[in-house]
Amino acid sequence: MTFSDILRTHFDAFVAQYSTQLTPAMHQAIAAMLRCRTETAQRSHWQCNECVTQLDCPLSCGHRNCPQCLHNTTADWLAKQQNKLLPVHYYMVTFTVPYELRGIAQHHPNTLYRAMFAVAADVLKSFACRAKQLQGEIGFTGVLHTHNRRRDLHPHIHFIVPAGAFNKATKQWRKSRTRYLFNAFNLATVWR
């Protein structure tokens, strides 16, 4: 049983309960997943050059949230990210939008999410330059999550940061030996 099967089975009850919370983007995602690889989807026609075998297959929706379509894409992305890992420890840093600003995410998501990435990246870089144990440039990978596990709107970014920084002046890698990357209270204050 796939997620799409569950969605089809419980679609009416789901919409009845959550219709006021669903954004246009969510409606588009649901519609795409419900059409994905079904008889109502567009079709791909295949024919063997060696024999007379022909095959018609329904097309995937290709929506970024569809678990049927993008499992391989996600797995490929994850493998590429793992190949980039440095032989060091890593920290995870999370930046969350305050509750009072979540309405902006609903009505102007692109603007808010771009600002979140820009500000969070700037905060991390400035802390790394000033930190005694690092005093250099850090790298990181950030992933935006727009909802929590209960599917409530909860925009936040998870950053994976290597435990160290590169000092261009000395051309040296400085390894961080602390348990935490930065003081969480100071980081949160500057983020706000």
Side-chain angles (χ1 to χ4, degrees):
M1 179 173 275
T2 67
F3 175 75
S4 295
D5 294 332
I6 295 167
L7 188 57
R8 276 186 205 92
T9 303
H10 302 285
F11 178 73
D12 292 333
F14 175 77
V15 171
Q17 184 169 351
Y18 297 104
S19 64
T20 59
Q21 297 173 346
L22 297 176
T23 65
M26 291 176 185
H27 281 291
Q28 288 174 339
I30 291 168
M33 286 184 251
L34 289 174
R35 274 192 320 272
C36 188
R37 299 181 189 175
T38 64
E39 295 307 314
T40 61
Q42 293 180 342
R43 304 190 68 74
S44 172
H45 182 75
W46 296 82
Q47 182 173 338
C48 177
N49 290 336
E50 305 297 321
C51 66
V52 294
T53 304
Q54 294 184 7
L55 183 63
D56 278 330
C57 301
L59 293 179
S60 301
C61 67
H63 195 278
R64 68 184 183 96
N65 291 311
C66 181
Q68 290 187 115
C69 293
L70 295 183
H71 171 74
N72 290 338
T73 304
T74 302
D76 291 345
W77 178 85
L78 186 58
K80 286 179 188 174
Q81 299 310 310
Q82 288 174 333
N83 287 336
K84 295 177 186 177
L85 289 175
L86 299 171
V88 298
H89 292 289
Y90 283 81
Y91 298 102
M92 184 169 82
V93 182
T94 303
F95 291 92
T96 304
V97 171
Y99 177 79
E100 297 80 13
L101 298 178
R102 292 183 190 164
I104 296 171
Q106 210 163 14
H107 301 291
H108 303 288
N110 291 342
T111 303
L112 180 70
Y113 299 150
R114 275 193 208 108
M116 284 175 65
F117 271 104
V119 172
D122 189 54
V123 168
L124 286 172
K125 289 176 185 178
S126 66
F127 268 67
C129 286
R130 284 188 239 131
K132 288 180 184 177
Q133 81 272 14
L134 296 177
Q135 296 178 346
E137 293 185 22
I138 60 171
F140 44 79
T141 296
V143 177
L144 171 70
H145 290 182
T146 57
H147 292 75
N148 62 18
R149 291 180 188 204
R150 292 187 318 246
R151 300 303 300 151
D152 300 322
L153 183 63
H154 180 72
H156 58 285
I157 302 174
H158 294 290
F159 283 96
I160 305 300
V161 184
F166 182 73
N167 187 311
K168 281 186 177 179
T170 63
K171 296 189 186 310
Q172 289 184 325
W173 173 262
R174 295 191 70 179
K175 189 174 182 178
S176 174
R177 300 188 194 288
T178 60
R179 188 168 175 200
Y180 298 98
L181 181 61
F182 305 121
N183 180 298
F185 296 108
N186 293 345
L187 201 65
T189 301
V190 174
W191 163 249
R192 281 190 208 104

